[in-house]
């Protein structure tokens, strides 16, 4: 997870691409205010952002620089998922399917904007061929979208108004499901 943002009356687990847990460069200590993470590690928020957050009277966000997957992250930081209202992944790369799996496991709404397919990293992903119904390996972006949508009937997709990979895959909260 690259971040867990606290929003008034809503906690959000936001993920971004992290294939390897690489330590970020040390920030300038004079320009940041350290904040502690309850789930290993610390992060920093700039003084300018701290002022903006305080001015808006919003809770201080907590950023977790963690490798997100269905096993290790949940063992270390599952309480963040349990207390969150939403999981978000913007071009989450390797953790795309993990976000969906975790959201379904905890019955949490989610929104992801998938980008890369990584067929070599995920050789067990298959979808049905439209021609004869046989299973075919997920190799293309369209295959990945189909694969994710087939994980649960509550999962939907729509197009966002920008160029590039702009398909969002999402599941609404219980209160908004029809």
């Amino acid at each position: 997870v690259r971040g867990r943002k606290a929003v008034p009356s809503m906690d959000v687990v936001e993920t971004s691409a992290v294939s390897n847990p690489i330590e970020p460069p040390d920030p300038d200590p004079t320009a940041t205010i350290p904040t502690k993470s309850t789930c290993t590690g610390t992060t920093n928020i700039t003084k300018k952002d701290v002022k903006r957050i305080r001015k808006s009277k919003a809770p201080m966000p907590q950023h977790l620089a963690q490798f997100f997957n269905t096993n290790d992250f949940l063992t270390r930081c599952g309480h963040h998922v349990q207390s969150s209202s939403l999981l978000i992944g913007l071009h989450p790369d390797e953790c795309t399917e993990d976000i969906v799996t975790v959201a379904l496991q905890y019955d949490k709404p989610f929104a992801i904007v998938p980008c890369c397919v990584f067929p070599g990293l995920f050789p067990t992903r298959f979808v049905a061929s439209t021609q004869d119904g046989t299973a075919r390996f997920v190799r293309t972006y369209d295959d990945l979208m189909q694969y994710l949508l087939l994980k649960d009937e509550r999962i939907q997709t729509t197009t966002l108004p920008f160029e590039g990979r702009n398909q969002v895959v999402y599941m609404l909260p219980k209160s908004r499901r029809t």
Side-chain angles (χ1 to χ4, degrees), residues 104-162:
L104 292 171
Q105 180 179 341
Y106 285 88
D107 197 28
K108 298 288 183 178
F110 72 89
I112 57 172
V113 179
C115 55
C116 302
V117 179
F118 297 105
L121 291 177
F122 301 102
T124 59
R125 291 179 178 169
F126 290 91
V127 291
S129 174
T130 54
Q131 288 86 9
D132 59 9
T134 59
R136 76 173 186 280
F137 187 52
V138 172
R139 291 194 179 279
T140 67
Y141 178 77
D142 290 338
D143 289 346
L144 177 62
M145 295 298 287
Q146 180 185 357
Y147 176 80
L148 294 171
L149 288 169
L150 290 172
K151 290 183 82 59
D152 192 282
E153 63 187 22
R154 300 169 292 173
I155 299 174
Q156 303 174 52
T157 186
T158 194
T159 303
L160 298 174
F162 56 81

Side-chain angles (χ1 to χ4, degrees), residues 40-122:
T40 67
T42 60
T43 60
N44 295 305
I45 302 172
T46 66
K47 287 182 182 181
K48 181 180 177 181
D49 286 339
V50 168
K51 285 174 103 174
R52 288 183 10 209
I53 293 164
R54 286 186 179 146
K55 184 177 179 180
S56 71
K57 297 183 181 170
M60 197 60 62
Q62 183 182 36
H63 180 271
L64 304 175
Q66 298 288 322
F67 184 66
F68 188 94
N69 61 31
T70 55
N71 298 321
D72 300 331
F73 180 80
L74 291 178
T75 301
R76 290 187 321 273
C77 308
H79 58 284
H80 288 296
V81 173
Q82 289 174 332
S83 66
S84 295
S85 301
L86 175 68
L87 302 180
I88 300 174
L90 302 175
H91 294 257
D93 289 335
E94 292 97 324
C95 64
T96 298
E97 185 177 2
D98 288 323
I99 296 168
V100 176
T101 301
V102 168
L104 292 171
Q105 180 179 341
Y106 285 88
D107 197 28
K108 298 288 183 178
F110 72 89
I112 57 172
V113 179
C115 55
C116 302
V117 179
F118 297 105
L121 291 177
F122 301 102

